[in-house]
Amino acid sequence: MSRVQQLLIGADVVCIQEADGQPGDIDTLDREAPTHLHFGSFTSSQAAGGALISISSDFAAGINTFEEHVIAPGWCLALRCRGPQFSAQYINLHLEPALSHADKVKLMRAIADAAASFSGDTFLMGDFNCAPTTRDTHLDYTAEGISFPTCSEYDRHAFRRFLRSLIII
């Protein structure tokens, strides 16, 4: 069983970063992991990037429409799901550490805009590329008008407040 198949077992929504592939790989996933629907965004290089979102078929049964919104090719993908009693957006982010501060601000602003423009719940998941205890990895966008906590505050109120601004519980 492939690593991806193992990750999918028992999960309704799975987000994978650094998938290093191409659009044709979605067809392969559909064949090898038919228990889920697969959506993806890739960079022009097969050796970099790749954001995947997989939704279980059982979970998808209550969804009428799926809309992919590529925020940053290969690095950030939003999947908007709507059904008669359900409206949710899943955003899969791989925050590349090599991005400049200005590019990170631009990406965070695009994510905040995607969340604000969606009429439903938004769930932000992914790899933020910083350890919860690392003080020198500081992602502070408050000066730019974006509420995003420092990585060292993952277990603290600031991160929860940021999530609440994106997620309606």
Side-chain angles (χ1 to χ4, degrees):
M1 179 179 288
S2 78
R3 178 73 177 135
V4 172
Q5 288 170 319
Q6 290 175 339
L7 290 171
L8 297 175
I9 294 172
D12 288 328
V13 180
V14 175
C15 292
I16 298 173
Q17 305 79 36
E18 300 185 61
D20 299 344
Q22 59 186 354
D25 292 335
I26 297 296
D27 293 335
T28 303
L29 276 174
D30 289 340
R31 281 191 310 277
E32 293 182 3
T35 59
H36 286 67
L37 305 175
H38 308 282
F39 306 87
S41 171
F42 302 93
T43 64
S44 57
S45 168
Q46 291 183 32
L52 296 173
I53 300 175
S54 297
I55 306 284
S56 75
S57 299
D58 291 340
F59 188 70
I63 300 170
N64 294 340
T65 61
F66 296 95
E67 176 190 348
E68 289 177 275
H69 175 59
V70 177
I71 296 172
W75 306 105
C76 190
L77 174 67
L79 180 64
R80 294 175 170 180
C81 306
R82 292 183 180 88
Q85 298 178 337
F86 180 80
S87 184
Q89 172 177 235
Y90 301 95
I91 299 177
N92 183 11
L93 167 66
H94 175 220
L95 189 58
E96 173 58 46
L99 285 177
S100 69
H101 180 76
D103 286 338
K104 287 177 183 175
V105 168
K106 182 179 174 184
L107 180 55
M108 287 294 141
R109 187 163 284 129
I111 290 169
D113 290 347
S117 68
F118 183 71
S119 60
D121 298 337
T122 294
F123 301 89
L124 175 62
M125 299 174 270
D127 180 355
F128 302 132
N129 266 312
C130 50
T133 59
T134 306
R135 277 246 174 248
D136 57 344
T137 308
H138 198 297
L139 300 177
D140 185 359
Y141 300 104
T142 53
E144 290 83 4
I146 301 170
S147 177
F148 192 78
T150 65
C151 292
S152 62
E153 295 175 324
Y154 270 13
D155 296 325
R156 300 191 181 171
H157 67 282
F159 187 66
R160 283 183 232 123
R161 193 170 55 244
F162 169 71
L163 287 178
R164 279 190 214 111
S165 72
L166 294 177
I167 302 171
I168 302 168
I169 299 176

